[in-house]
Amino acid sequence: MSTDIRVRYAPSPTGHLHIGNARAALFNYLFARSHNGTFIIRVEDTDTKRNIEGGEESQLEYLKWLGIDWDESIDVGGDYGPYRQSERNDLYKKHYDDLLERGLAYKCYCTEEELEAEREGQIARSEMPRYSGKCRNLTDEERAALEAEGRKPSIRFAVPQGKTYTFNDIVKDDVSFESDGIGDFVIVKKDGIPTYNFAVAVDDHYMEISHVLRGDDHISNTPKQLMIYEAFGWDIPKFGHTTLIVNEERKKLSKRDGSIIQFIEQYKDLGYQPDALFNFIALLGWSPKGEDELFSKEELIERFDADRLSKSPAVFDTKKLEWMNNQYMKNLDLDEVVALSVPHLEEAGKISKDRTAEQNEWVRKLVALYQEQMSYGAEIVALSELFFKDEIAYDEEASAVLAEEQVPEVMAELSRQLEALENFEAAEIKKAIKAVQKETGHKGKKLFMPIRVAATGQTHGPDLPSAIEVLGKEKVLARLAKLTD
């Protein structure tokens, strides 16, 4: 095995890029880049029944969107290809034939019904469900008879008896498994396609993978892969199994958990910033030294240390993600924020897709009002609702403000001042409000709160003169007129 750092992310094209898989890719990417190593993407497409159309392209597209690039893969080539498992069958066959010839693997003719009955019997006897090994020592005559029945065999690895498999995990330290608790496992299915544990071990060896960083759910696969390595006398990579991602109730993140958006595609569609999501995911189960939480990709590469991967589950804090994305949104150029917001305003029917230059400028001013508080692009629809209403329903707090005794005088004078404006722009509106203060003698909350409530229906909101400008002269005067009737 090479002494160079070579790591891989190996997606299956059975679905879109999930937050957990994105984290696996990101940790491997950071590890490779921080060591000037090689980051490989290998497509594990042997589960043909579950593969979805466009799944492979989707995985790569959203990794790129996140800001992850790679050195070897199906799209960029490399010296260790092919990079799809479905194109490596000749290599797998060579090796499982070798195991069969050496008696380290055998053909199994059990049907699904027989295996299920065996499993149910073991559970009923309170035994650990595992394959009994009944096909392990079939004679040539018994095999021939079973094949004459039309049975197609799978191939099982003959698990050594009475052995302990121990490896030092980057995250979990020493981990041990007893071979007697692991039944002879299938390495080639009845259709001739190798299973995950066999193919991944062969691929990792021939691609000279030095470190395998992956989720905790793979840890039970590791002893099986160690057995394959041992059977061929191969060097073993260094393993690191990152802890689970859990929700705020400390329950394992499930794809059915509706409280958390779980696919990278959804975050892109909502108008999240890829840099913010990259930053957030990097801190799911890993922490740098110090108290800082906002990092560029380059800073994360510089600071990444696999020894600081957490031993505790990573909590997916939705509010923290929104806060983090807001920090990135604040620093964007306004035109970028507008580009993130416009599709959502169009989809909600708030603005037309065919707009004049004047209408585009109005949209730009609208978005500018909320850039400081927006967590992601789709939020603009709810935040800006007041600008698309003709009628305002004042809530209890707003009604209490409008019931104050000075309000009629303030409203009347404000109407007069705004009516007289030729240029209905924020700077001029600000002067008009100052004139209202001068004419009525009311100031502070007594002045600004009723004006805000009357114009917007809200007691809190964006810069008041700018909000009034975006609302427009006609709409604001109409709202004031209703209050003074």
Side-chain angles (χ1 to χ4, degrees):
M1 179 181 289
S2 168
T3 56
D4 295 334
I5 297 294
R6 290 177 57 83
V7 297
R8 47 74 172 177
Y9 167 62
S12 299
T14 54
H16 299 291
L17 184 60
H18 184 261
I19 202 85
N21 294 332
R23 184 184 70 161
L26 196 151
F27 281 168
N28 278 283
Y29 170 79
L30 291 175
F31 186 75
R33 294 291 176 260
S34 66
H35 287 88
N36 294 316
T38 302
F39 177 52
I40 301 156
I41 290 186
R42 181 177 71 223
V43 178
E44 298 186 345
D45 59 347
T46 57
D47 193 349
T48 54
K49 292 180 181 178
R50 293 180 59 226
N51 291 345
I52 65 169
E53 186 177 354
E56 182 180 288
E57 294 81 1
S58 176
Q59 289 275 339
L60 299 184
E61 176 186 351
Y62 290 101
L63 286 172
K64 288 177 183 175
W65 179 79
L66 266 179
I68 295 175
D69 60 275
W70 43 90
D71 306 298
E72 300 174 20
S73 190
I74 57 174
D75 57 339
V76 296
D79 295 334
Y80 296 80
Y83 293 93
R84 284 188 191 90
Q85 284 188 334
S86 59
E87 298 171 3
R88 299 172 66 84
N89 282 328
D90 289 347
L91 179 64
Y92 303 140
K93 186 176 188 308
K94 171 186 171 184
H95 286 80
Y96 63 70
D97 282 347
D98 176 57
L99 293 178
L100 285 170
E101 189 176 327
R102 291 192 285 139
L104 300 180
Y106 60 92
K107 292 181 179 180
C108 171
Y109 296 87
C110 295
T111 65
E112 293 299 323
E113 293 75 19
E114 289 169 340
L115 292 171
E116 183 58 28
E118 181 177 272
R119 175 182 172 82
E120 289 177 357
Q122 290 170 334
I123 292 173
R125 296 189 297 273
S126 299
E127 298 173 2
M128 177 71 75
R130 63 190 182 95
Y131 181 62
S132 63
K134 65 181 182 179
C135 288
R136 189 168 187 167
N137 298 306
L138 293 176
T139 64
D140 290 342
E141 291 76 13
E142 288 170 325
R143 279 194 291 270
L146 289 167
E147 288 180 8
E149 292 179 21
R151 296 199 185 198
K152 288 188 175 182
S154 60
I155 299 175
R156 290 183 181 271
F157 185 82
V159 173
Q161 304 289 304
K163 277 196 79 170
T164 300
Y165 286 86
T166 300
F167 62 97
N168 183 262
D169 191 277
I170 294 171
V171 179
K172 299 177 178 297
D173 300 323
D174 287 338
V175 180
S176 295
F177 288 89
E178 301 299 326
S179 66
D180 291 349
I182 303 170
D184 294 349
F185 56 95
V186 175
I187 59 173
V188 183
K189 292 176 282 189
K190 294 179 188 295
D191 59 7
I193 296 176
T195 59
Y196 169 78
N197 280 309
F198 181 72
V200 76
V202 173
D203 289 342
D204 283 349
H205 169 71
Y206 280 99
M207 291 184 182
E208 298 187 6
I209 300 303
S210 63
H211 295 73
V212 176
L213 298 179
R214 58 190 180 186
D216 189 69
D217 52 329
H218 280 288
I219 198 160
S220 61
N221 290 320
T222 308
K224 297 175 182 178
Q225 292 164 23
L226 293 178
M227 292 175 196
I228 302 297
Y229 275 93
E230 181 182 70
F232 292 113
W234 293 338
D235 291 334
I236 297 169
K238 180 75 173 176
F239 289 95
H241 292 88
T242 55
T243 55
L244 296 173
I245 302 175
V246 297
N247 63 22
E248 291 174 43
E249 296 176 351
R250 302 302 193 272
K251 293 180 180 177
K252 180 182 176 182
L253 199 61
S254 161
K255 291 181 181 179
R256 294 183 295 275
D257 187 343
S259 67
I260 292 174
I261 299 167
Q262 299 196 30
F263 293 93
I264 302 303
E265 179 178 359
Q266 293 171 292
Y267 285 103
K268 180 178 184 290
D269 290 345
L270 284 169
Y272 274 80
Q273 278 294 288
D275 290 349
L277 205 56
F278 188 106
N279 189 163
F280 176 78
I281 294 172
L283 302 181
L284 281 176
W286 173 80
S287 59
K289 293 178 181 177
E291 301 298 320
D292 293 340
E293 293 185 297
L294 298 175
F295 302 99
S296 67
K297 181 167 70 174
E298 292 70 28
E299 288 171 330
L300 287 166
I301 289 171
E302 183 180 343
R303 291 170 178 248
F304 190 78
D305 178 358
D307 290 338
R308 294 187 64 83
L309 288 166
S310 175
K311 298 180 187 297
S312 303
V315 179
F316 193 103
D317 186 338
T318 301
K319 292 299 180 186
K320 181 177 178 180
L321 173 56
E322 290 181 0
W323 167 82
M324 188 172 284
N325 204 70
N326 172 253
Q327 304 306 303
Y328 282 79
M329 291 282 279
K330 287 177 183 178
N331 292 319
L332 284 182
D333 182 84
L334 175 58
D335 288 336
E336 294 180 86
V337 183
V338 171
L340 290 170
S341 305
V342 160
H344 302 286
L345 291 169
E346 291 177 344
E347 186 179 353
K350 301 300 183 183
I351 59 175
S352 169
K353 291 186 178 181
D354 299 315
R355 296 183 299 277
T356 64
E358 184 180 355
Q359 288 170 329
N360 277 328
E361 182 58 26
W362 181 86
V363 172
R364 194 171 188 276
K365 289 179 179 179
L366 174 73
V367 174
L369 290 175
Y370 293 103
Q371 180 173 359
E372 284 293 307
Q373 66 185 98
M374 283 173 64
S375 293
Y376 50 92
E379 269 195 326
I380 191 64
V381 176
L383 289 171
S384 64
E385 185 65 30
L386 71 96
F387 293 92
F388 301 98
K389 288 181 176 179
D390 291 323
E391 301 290 333
I392 294 179
Y394 298 105
D395 62 19
E396 187 176 342
E397 185 181 7
S399 297
V401 170
L402 295 177
E404 294 173 5
E405 60 179 358
Q406 84 284 8
V407 170
E409 182 184 8
V410 169
M411 294 300 105
E413 184 59 29
L414 180 63
S415 296
R416 193 178 72 79
Q417 293 289 343
L418 294 181
E419 183 72 56
L421 290 181
E422 291 186 15
N423 294 322
F424 203 75
E425 297 175 350
E428 297 301 313
I429 293 166
K430 186 174 182 180
K431 291 177 184 177
I433 294 173
K434 282 186 176 288
V436 174
Q437 177 180 330
K438 183 177 179 181
E439 291 297 325
T440 64
H442 299 300
K443 58 185 179 180
K445 283 185 67 176
K446 293 290 184 181
L447 174 71
F448 292 104
M449 188 64 80
I451 292 176
R452 180 178 292 281
V453 170
T456 69
Q458 299 176 345
T459 54
H460 305 281
D463 176 69
L464 183 55
S466 297
I468 291 174
E469 177 189 346
V470 174
L471 279 164
K473 189 173 186 177
E474 184 179 344
K475 183 174 286 189
V476 173
L477 289 175
R479 290 177 178 180
L480 296 180
K482 286 194 174 184
L483 294 174
T484 54
D485 285 346

